[in-house]
Amino acid sequence: MMKKETKQKKVEQKLGEKTELFFSDAFFFWPAWKRFFYKVILTVFISLGLIFSFFLVILRIQPWYNLGILVLLFFIYVLFKQNLSDLPLSEEYLKQKKKINLARFLSPQTRNVLIEAKDISFTFQLDFFQGFFYALLSQKEIVDALNILDISSEEIEALKKRIKEEKASKKEITKENYRKFLEKITYWAFFEVEKLKKNHISQEALMLALYSVDNSKIDDIFSFYRLEKNDLTVAFVLNYLSQIKGIEVLKGLADKKEFDFRAKRIKVNRSFTSRPTPFLDLYGLDFTELALKLKIGIMIGHEQEYQSLLDILCRQGKRNILLVGPAGVGKDTLVSYLAFNLVRDKTPLKLRDRRLISLSLASILEDTKEPLEVYNRLTKVTKELLINRDIIIYLPQFHNYKLLAQRGGFTALETFQSLINSSWVPVIAATTPGDYRRHLERDPIVKENFEIIKVKELSSEESIRFLAYRSLELKRKTKVKISYKAIKRAVILAQRFLTSTPLPFSAESLLTEAIEGVRRKGRKIVLEQDIVSLVSLKTQVPLEVSSEQEREKLLNLEKLIHERLINQEKAVNLVSAALRQYRAGLTNIKKPIGVFLFVGPTGVGKTQLAKTLAKIYFGSEKTMIRFDMAEYQDRKSINRFIGNSEGTISGSLTEAVKNNPFSLILLDEFEKAHSDVLNIFLPVFDEGRLTNNLGQVIDFTNTIIIATSNALSDFIKDEIEKNVDIDDLSERLKNKLTNYFKPELLNRFNEVVVFRTLTQEHLKEIVKLKLNELASALSKNKKIELFFDNSVIERLAELGYNPIFGARPLDAVIRHHIKDNLASSILRKKISSNTKVHFVLEENEFKAKIESI
């Protein structure tokens, strides 16, 4: 609703004050026979007029020859006007009129569709809006646009059939309601014309108007077919562009070699006040000349940044600008669009007749042998710029001037200082956030003379529009079509997983890589599934349940975990359910898969559950990202997690997740970290994101996070021994944990899970698991079979049990009594391949009975 109001206000600003929009045209209400005779008479009149005037011209009969030419031109004009609206929609016309009849902006094709809608509504007893929708679905322009959105002709026919089934009452199908329909549909279509860059109310504008008429039946159809208005708008423009042969829809500088555009002549402005700039022309790239040739100038999005650019360039005093944004975000695009508007006089008067020149340091350094040569070139270019008042200079990769100053023994940036200090030659520079922080942020020349404009990445809607247009060029180059669903999915997945690169560049790289993939397979179209498979491969994030084996693993995850972990059913159930919901696409995509705090005494399985889950589902314990939080007990430890501000230290947490976005993160002994370190996890737990030292937002939405804590372990042990209800204990424990964690941090955990203390029976089961692991390893690697008496298992459980340390001593007990015994026997060659070893307990000692198989 807000978008609708914004768009309406934007158009209304172009109308005069108190302008009235109305619809009046008797032609729409004529009976069919009257319209038919009108068209016949008009066609005969034009045909006879053309024939008559043509013969007057051919026969050259004086004095009728000149009259014949005038009459012929008149009838050619009348014939030509038959395909146009009565009046073109222009800003000048709209501002002059107090009353505007929308009927005069309808093209003949649009008139026919609106009349056909009336006939269909009366014939099939349909609501006028549905009858109109039905009529539109028979128009080639509409059908082609829907095909672009991957809606097949069969689906369109099924849609038409569905519309015909929605009958309206006869009371609704009246001339008065038809009049109201015409007023409403043309009113909303009027506000769609600007978006389509049309000078009349077209069929496409009328189709988009259906989104604004508040008709529940049509809204249901759009929802059922997932027909979004923005997608349809893009499809209409794409359909139009695809019909123009040889058009370069989005031509960037990367598609051309720089020397192809080098200026070859002296440039003079219209007022003849410019001076020759031979050195600048030699090393610079004239953006205004490229814009004249339509080689650059298309801009999608970035309206706010462009307006800020114009405001600074037109103000008094220093007008230098530093564009800061990641590579590929659109800094060059902004400057190209300025050049495009400069050559078309679509800029404020203060900027008219200016040339925009890009000067790359790489071109200055070309073929130089000594630093002095670079200095001389920069000095000559600066002198040429200072005597000209009609140039805007663009310095891409501005940080390189500072780096050259540090490495070359002279200051390249200071060479430009007189230029930067001048008020008549604006300097537009560009750099990345990382290079700005490392090299420019503290530089006095930059701080005192440049205004910073942060260039943001395109929104997902803008990126889809950009890539849809770009897909036409890619199709012409590669002969491979990209489906619209593939474009949308590329943008969605790039925004979610490829966060280190901005949109639309990240999504475009997916599409170009997918094109190469389908070409190798001998196919001619990139489908949505190709993008999903590619992103899964690149990120190692499974985006869908890929096999029956994985499906079974997810359904039986609790059972698989309990084969390696004893007790703690609640914790096992929670993490298993979280993974199942994630893989089924039911989790909140703006949060991590699950965030759990495991509390309880040491040695009860908190860390072991994380290791077991990593091994079973993530492939290996090594894939787990593990941090011992006891190592992060001072405030400076934050730098170890996210990196330092200078950029010399990378963050261990942010880099690990950036490189392996689908992972399990274990934060052991969470309560021991410094409180400021714990604070950095607030956005991670709540929003699934964390900003690193370079300003990059790292995505945590594909991670499952487990924090462990031994806090209040004595209290937990005492309460469990009293047989207190676990759910009740969890709530009480959460209140007590505020002594260790801030309430806002505790509230961001999905669950605070209490781990039960282990009993003697649990210890026996754990012993069996560990001995089975040992037996499996020996059987697989050395062909040695191990067997254990129940008395051995019971004795090991007794020795391994410790009320304070839980099951932790168990590994040491098995190592001392079983593994040491085995190792000695293997080294003495008492045990070799194809040997059976049976451990028994005799006279309270562990003995191994060995026999050959």
Side-chain angles (χ1 to χ4, degrees):
M1 190 64 186
M2 286 297 292
K3 286 186 178 180
K4 186 194 297 185
E5 291 175 359
T6 303
K7 173 187 65 185
Q8 187 175 348
K9 286 180 180 178
K10 188 176 179 181
V11 178
E12 285 176 347
Q13 288 174 358
K14 298 185 177 183
L15 301 175
E17 292 183 10
K18 300 180 181 178
T19 302
E20 179 187 346
L21 301 177
F22 68 99
F23 186 95
S24 178
D25 193 335
F27 182 78
F28 285 88
F29 300 93
W30 286 0
W33 67 266
K34 192 174 181 180
R35 293 196 306 269
F36 173 75
F37 276 111
Y38 171 79
K39 289 180 180 178
V40 169
I41 292 169
L42 183 62
T43 303
V44 171
F45 173 70
I46 294 173
S47 301
L48 290 176
L50 285 170
I51 293 169
F52 174 73
S53 57
F54 179 74
F55 274 108
L56 284 179
V57 174
I58 292 296
L59 295 175
R60 293 179 174 271
I61 299 174
Q62 296 294 344
W64 306 107
Y65 173 72
N66 292 334
L67 178 62
I69 291 176
L70 292 175
V71 173
L72 180 61
L73 291 174
F74 169 76
F75 279 104
I76 289 174
Y77 170 75
V78 172
L79 182 64
F80 177 73
K81 279 287 289 181
Q82 292 304 297
N83 296 316
L84 302 175
S85 59
D86 294 344
L87 292 170
L89 258 175
S90 64
E91 190 172 335
E92 292 75 16
Y93 177 84
L94 296 177
K95 285 185 176 179
Q96 292 172 2
K97 300 293 181 180
K98 297 296 182 184
K99 289 187 176 183
I100 296 176
N101 184 2
L102 297 175
R104 303 203 67 186
F105 302 115
L106 297 174
S107 67
Q109 295 86 352
T110 308
R111 288 170 174 268
N112 291 337
V113 174
L114 289 169
I115 292 170
E116 186 183 349
K118 180 182 71 170
D119 297 338
I120 289 171
S121 296
F122 278 104
T123 302
F124 297 113
Q125 198 177 326
L126 300 177
D127 169 79
F128 285 115
F129 288 104
Q130 288 179 282
F132 175 61
F133 196 6
Y134 186 95
L136 282 174
L137 292 175
S138 300
Q139 305 303 309
K140 185 179 184 302
E141 292 82 357
I142 306 299
V143 172
D144 289 346
L146 293 176
N147 290 159
I148 288 172
L149 298 180
D150 302 325
I151 297 176
S152 65
S153 299
E154 291 77 14
E155 288 176 304
I156 294 172
E157 288 302 317
L159 175 54
K160 290 169 69 175
K161 185 177 179 181
R162 174 178 172 175
I163 293 171
K164 284 171 66 176
E165 292 172 354
E166 298 282 346
K167 302 296 183 182
S169 66
K170 290 186 177 180
K171 292 181 180 179
E172 295 179 65
I173 311 170
T174 63
K175 285 188 177 181
E176 182 58 32
N177 282 341
Y178 180 56
R179 185 188 305 278
K180 290 178 180 177
F181 156 74
L182 289 173
E183 289 174 352
K184 197 169 187 179
I185 197 71
T186 54
Y187 175 83
W188 285 113
F190 174 77
F191 293 104
E192 300 294 342
V193 170
E194 184 182 37
K195 189 184 292 184
L196 295 168
K197 307 299 181 184
K198 299 276 188 180
N199 63 356
H200 62 276
I201 297 177
S202 61
Q203 296 175 16
E204 295 91 337
L206 289 170
M207 179 75 170
L208 294 176
L210 286 174
Y211 286 89
S212 304
V213 296
D214 297 326
N215 185 292
S216 60
K217 293 177 181 178
I218 291 176
D219 291 343
D220 288 344
I221 291 172
F222 285 148
S223 177
F224 180 80
Y225 285 91
R226 296 181 181 177
L227 261 177
E228 297 180 13
K229 187 176 181 180
N230 286 321
D231 294 340
L232 199 53
T233 305
V234 172
F236 286 144
V237 179
L238 269 181
N239 185 40
Y240 168 74
L241 293 174
S242 64
Q243 297 170 15
I244 304 175
K245 294 183 178 179
I247 186 173
E248 298 183 37
V249 184
L250 292 169
K251 178 61 73 176
L253 293 177
D255 293 326
K256 296 288 184 182
K257 294 180 181 177
E258 187 171 313
F259 61 76
D260 289 342
F261 299 127
R262 289 269 177 88
K264 300 296 192 299
R265 58 185 175 80
I266 295 175
K267 313 295 192 309
V268 181
N269 61 17
R270 285 178 292 188
S271 58
F272 296 97
T273 58
S274 58
R275 305 279 186 91
T277 54
F279 275 95
L280 183 60
D281 295 342
L282 182 63
Y283 298 112
L285 184 61
D286 194 331
F287 271 27
T288 41
E289 185 170 313
L290 297 182
L292 275 171
K293 297 176 181 178
L294 298 178
K295 300 294 183 184
I296 60 172
I298 300 297
M299 184 178 79
I300 293 173
H302 299 306
E303 285 87 359
Q304 186 176 348
E305 294 97 319
Y306 180 70
Q307 188 57 51
S308 298
L309 186 78
L310 289 181
D311 292 343
I312 296 170
L313 289 174
C314 293
R315 73 185 184 186
Q316 296 296 321
K318 293 179 181 178
R319 297 173 286 164
N320 304 318
I321 298 162
L322 180 58
L323 303 175
V324 179
V329 78
K331 300 186 291 292
D332 283 354
T333 301
L334 269 170
V335 182
S336 300
Y337 188 61
L338 174 61
F340 186 84
N341 287 329
L342 282 170
V343 299
R344 284 158 184 77
D345 289 340
K346 291 185 177 180
T347 58
L349 191 61
K350 192 171 184 178
L351 300 179
R352 297 280 171 87
D353 290 334
R354 285 187 179 266
R355 293 165 58 203
L356 201 162
I357 311 295
S358 173
L359 184 65
S360 169
L361 188 59
S363 64
I364 297 288
L365 291 171
E366 189 177 359
D367 300 328
T368 57
K369 296 178 180 178
E370 298 292 334
L372 188 60
E373 291 182 60
V374 180
Y375 176 81
N376 289 335
R377 289 180 181 182
L378 288 172
T379 303
K380 289 177 181 178
V381 167
T382 303
K383 287 180 179 178
E384 288 183 354
L385 286 168
L386 288 172
I387 62 172
N388 277 275
R389 307 215 170 190
D390 67 330
I391 293 176
I392 299 172
I393 192 72
Y394 174 48
L395 305 176
Q397 297 182 315
F398 190 52
H399 53 276
N400 284 340
Y401 289 90
K402 183 67 180 293
L403 291 176
L404 182 63
Q406 292 172 348
R407 295 176 184 175
F410 65 95
T411 308
L413 194 58
E414 289 180 355
T415 308
F416 276 135
Q417 190 160 9
S418 57
L419 175 68
I420 292 169
N421 288 334
S422 72
S423 59
W424 58 86
V425 182
V427 176
I428 302 175
T431 188
T432 64
D435 289 315
Y436 173 69
R437 281 198 183 92
R438 283 189 290 267
H439 310 302
L440 300 173
E441 190 172 25
R442 297 176 182 83
D443 189 280
I445 296 176
V446 175
K447 288 172 69 175
E448 295 170 11
N449 296 283
F450 282 86
E451 286 284 346
I452 308 298
I453 296 179
K454 293 183 179 180
V455 183
K456 301 175 183 177
E457 69 175 338
L458 296 186
S459 68
S460 56
E461 287 181 3
E462 292 165 342
S463 299
I464 289 169
R465 186 151 51 102
F466 174 89
L467 293 171
Y469 302 156
R470 181 69 170 159
S471 69
L472 292 179
E473 292 180 13
L474 293 173
K475 182 181 177 182
R476 291 190 180 112
K477 287 180 180 179
T478 64
K479 310 302 180 187
V480 175
K481 179 185 176 183
I482 305 173
S483 73
Y484 192 79
K485 287 182 179 177
I487 293 171
K488 286 195 74 173
R489 184 53 70 96
V491 170
I492 291 168
L493 294 181
Q495 191 175 36
R496 185 175 177 189
F497 296 109
L498 308 182
T499 53
S500 59
T501 308
L503 287 174
F505 186 75
S506 55
E508 185 177 356
S509 66
L510 284 178
L511 293 175
T512 52
E513 195 170 341
I515 286 173
E516 293 305 314
V518 300
R519 287 175 76 181
R520 287 194 297 270
K521 296 174 183 176
R523 287 167 39 209
K524 294 293 184 181
I525 183 170
V526 175
L527 300 173
E528 184 179 15
Q529 185 57 46
D530 296 315
I531 301 299
V532 173
S533 301
L534 178 60
V535 174
S536 289
L537 183 66
K538 289 173 74 72
T539 63
Q540 299 301 305
V541 176
L543 299 177
E544 56 186 19
V545 179
S546 57
S547 67
E548 191 62 33
Q549 182 182 3
E550 186 189 1
R551 196 183 310 276
E552 288 299 315
K553 183 184 288 185
L554 285 166
L555 292 172
N556 299 290
L557 198 52
E558 288 93 339
K559 182 181 177 182
L560 294 172
I561 292 174
H562 277 307
E563 289 176 0
R564 293 176 168 85
L565 182 77
I566 302 302
N567 201 6
Q568 319 306 351
E569 282 78 6
K570 183 177 180 181
V572 172
N573 292 341
L574 283 170
V575 295
S576 300
L579 269 175
R580 273 195 295 271
Q581 291 168 25
Y582 168 76
R583 299 298 286 115
L586 300 177
T587 53
N588 187 338
I589 63 171
K590 295 183 179 180
K591 290 180 178 290
I593 300 169
V595 183
F596 303 103
L597 176 60
F598 292 169
V599 293
T602 187
V604 295
K606 301 186 297 294
T607 303
Q608 185 61 33
L609 175 53
K611 290 180 178 179
T612 302
L613 187 61
K615 189 172 185 178
I616 290 174
Y617 195 79
F618 293 86
S620 167
E621 287 184 24
K622 294 179 180 178
T623 62
M624 181 172 66
I625 302 172
R626 181 175 180 176
F627 294 95
D628 183 353
M629 301 303 287
E631 299 177 7
Y632 299 87
Q633 296 189 22
D634 58 42
R635 194 180 185 285
K636 293 180 181 178
S637 304
I638 294 175
N639 291 343
R640 294 170 59 190
F641 270 120
I642 65 173
N644 64 352
S645 57
E646 292 79 17
T648 55
I649 299 174
S650 298
S652 54
L653 174 62
T654 50
E655 286 301 305
V657 175
K658 182 178 174 182
N659 296 327
N660 190 14
F662 181 58
S663 55
L664 187 153
I665 301 173
L666 175 63
L667 307 171
D668 242 342
E669 298 187 296
F670 196 51
E671 79 282 1
K672 293 184 178 178
H674 190 276
S675 59
D676 287 342
V677 173
L678 296 181
N679 285 340
I680 71 172
F681 288 96
L682 289 172
V684 175
F685 294 173
D686 190 42
E687 300 170 351
R689 62 181 179 83
L690 181 63
T691 304
N692 69 5
N693 58 323
L694 298 177
Q696 296 175 326
V697 178
I698 308 301
D699 182 19
F700 282 75
T701 59
N702 302 291
T703 63
I704 185 166
I705 303 171
I706 295 175
T708 70
S709 174
N710 297 327
L712 300 171
S713 56
D714 291 337
F715 169 75
I716 293 169
K717 181 175 177 295
D718 293 340
E719 292 299 303
I720 289 176
E721 287 175 354
K722 296 176 185 177
N723 292 321
V724 173
D725 181 72
I726 287 292
D727 292 331
D728 180 54
L729 177 58
S730 296
E731 286 303 315
R732 289 165 56 201
L733 185 68
K734 201 169 181 179
N735 293 328
K736 287 182 174 291
L737 283 172
T738 54
N739 295 325
Y740 297 86
F741 306 109
K742 293 180 180 178
E744 58 266 32
L745 182 64
L746 280 173
N747 289 333
R748 282 168 167 78
F749 285 102
N750 295 130
E751 292 279 351
V752 176
V753 186
V754 178
F755 271 57
R756 296 173 178 271
T757 52
L758 299 175
T759 65
Q760 194 68 35
E761 290 302 315
H762 292 145
L763 262 293
K764 289 179 185 178
E765 295 300 318
I766 295 172
V767 170
K768 288 179 183 178
L769 287 178
K770 292 184 177 294
L771 293 180
N772 285 338
E773 287 179 7
L774 177 60
S776 297
L778 282 175
S779 176
K780 183 179 179 180
N781 299 325
K782 294 184 174 293
K783 308 297 182 186
I784 298 171
E785 293 186 9
L786 286 182
F787 299 93
F788 301 91
D789 272 359
N790 285 333
S791 58
V792 172
I793 294 171
E794 290 176 0
R795 182 58 179 159
L796 289 173
E798 289 174 10
L799 294 172
Y801 180 72
N802 186 304
I804 298 174
F805 297 107
R808 286 193 187 278
L810 198 55
D811 284 329
V813 169
I814 293 174
R815 185 168 58 249
H816 177 67
H817 293 287
I818 304 297
K819 289 184 179 180
D820 283 355
N821 197 330
L822 284 171
S824 299
S825 298
I826 290 171
L827 291 172
R828 293 190 179 106
K829 297 186 178 180
K830 291 181 180 181
I831 299 175
S832 58
S833 297
N834 299 317
T835 302
K836 183 187 292 185
V837 181
H838 192 172
F839 274 92
V840 296
L841 189 68
E842 293 180 353
E843 297 178 358
N844 216 26
E845 289 187 7
F846 297 95
K847 294 186 178 180
K849 294 184 177 181
I850 305 166
E851 57 182 90
S852 299
I853 298 175

